Amino acid sequence: MSSYESLTTGSAVSLVKKLGLFAESETLSSREIGDGNLNYVFHIKGKEKSVIVKQALPYAKVVGESWPLTLERADIENRALRLQGKFAPDYTPKVYYSDKDLAITIMEDLSHLEIARTGFINGEDYPLIAQHTGEFIARTLYSTSDFAMGPQEKKKLQNTFCNPELCDITEGLVFTDPFFDAETNDFEEGLRPDAEKLWQDSNLKLHTAQLKRLFLTSGDALLHGDLHTGSIFASETETKIIDPEFAFYGPFGFDIAHFTANLFMNALSREDSRREPLYAHIVTVWDVFNREFTRLWKENNTEAFAKTEGYLEWLLADIFEQAAGFMGLEMIRRTIGLAHVKDLDGIEDEAARLQAKQRSLAIGARFVKERHQFTSADQLVSAFQEGLQ
């Protein structure tokens, strides 16, 4: 029999006191701050410290109890956070406690930082976010791959991160539904001609099917699985990556693709004069990822072919090609799929919002279909700029 019970602001306080995180006599404030689709998030604050209590719900908040979900994802998130904290401690929140039965993780309070998506929408630039995110992605991916762990140890770890239910969400909402007239899709009527054109593009569907197969079959490394700008807390000097409940073993290029795609979508919401910092982030995150991945490859590699001339260069080029395609899919699904981004939806002028979304679809489709032609982040930026013409 399950001992699961949904927390309230009051029971969350009782829990942290019972665990000894706060004194029984201390007066605490507690409020639910979650704005996501799958969880409760409580911010509990005392006189000298504060914590975050996150609890997975047995259904998707965005739909309701008609869309049930396993609570196993909370355990996956907890274990992913601990692993990411081992390999990239500067960019991962500390975990203080977890309970598999209650689907609870208690972790470091990051409220002194801002959700990066919100900051970008408000015009912030976060000068170090690309460097930090590039290091996080390179370190967490490489350290959980065959190259660092060896195939046997990696397979053992991979078996513990089977995440079929949340992968099913990604497979449907990212790789399938936006390319058909599916009930889950959600878009303005003014976008219908663009959506129907996309649904009729057999070449785009072929490339999407190829990328979906890669997602379904590749197990390169432990991914964050949902690394968009809403999963990052940031300031001028600090970056923390949160919410890895979609973590699973997948293709190397997936996480960095989602980060860069969300930067491009924010750029669509900005005036041209304010886009340059985002372009710089896209170039920087790739430069840092390549540099850090290369450093780790040379320092710790179990692969017999590691020193074979051209192997690393081929792998990095393959990762980039993957990412260009995944990036395009993310732009498309965030525009006409179920889960949108505030960057685009928040554009107040209706005509400007429609134009930005039309550009998102067209540029995204180009990234998917022409991913073989892109070899550098500068080329991605140039293609994006061409799509603004």
Side-chain angles (χ1 to χ4, degrees), residues 294-350:
T294 298
R295 179 186 70 81
L296 294 166
W297 175 280
K298 293 179 178 178
E299 288 182 359
N300 173 34
N301 204 315
T302 67
E303 173 55 59
F305 289 97
K307 294 183 180 179
T308 300
E309 184 176 354
Y311 186 25
L312 173 61
E313 290 74 17
W314 168 83
L315 177 61
L316 291 173
D318 185 57
I319 293 171
F320 189 86
E321 182 182 306
Q322 292 175 20
F326 290 139
M327 188 172 59
L329 297 181
E330 171 73 352
M331 294 179 72
I332 291 169
R333 75 98 170 192
R334 291 291 193 177
T335 305
I336 60 172
L338 177 65
H340 292 191
V341 291
K342 293 179 182 178
D343 312 63
L344 298 180
D345 279 0
I347 299 173
E348 293 184 2
D349 181 80
E350 184 177 356

Side-chain angles (χ1 to χ4, degrees), residues 141-158 219-221 249 300-304:
L141 296 191
Y142 186 85
S143 299
T144 57
S145 73
D146 292 295
F147 302 114
M149 303 186 73
Q152 299 307 310
E153 289 304 311
K154 192 207 83 168
K155 287 181 177 68
K156 292 177 184 177
L157 182 62
Q158 184 174 3
D220 289 326
Y249 263 80
N300 173 34
N301 204 315
T302 67
E303 173 55 59

Side-chain angles (χ1 to χ4, degrees), residues 170-180 182 185 208 212:
T170 303
E171 291 152 15
L173 298 187
V174 177
F175 290 93
T176 307
D177 293 356
F179 303 92
F180 299 89
N185 291 333
T208 300
K212 181 178 180 179

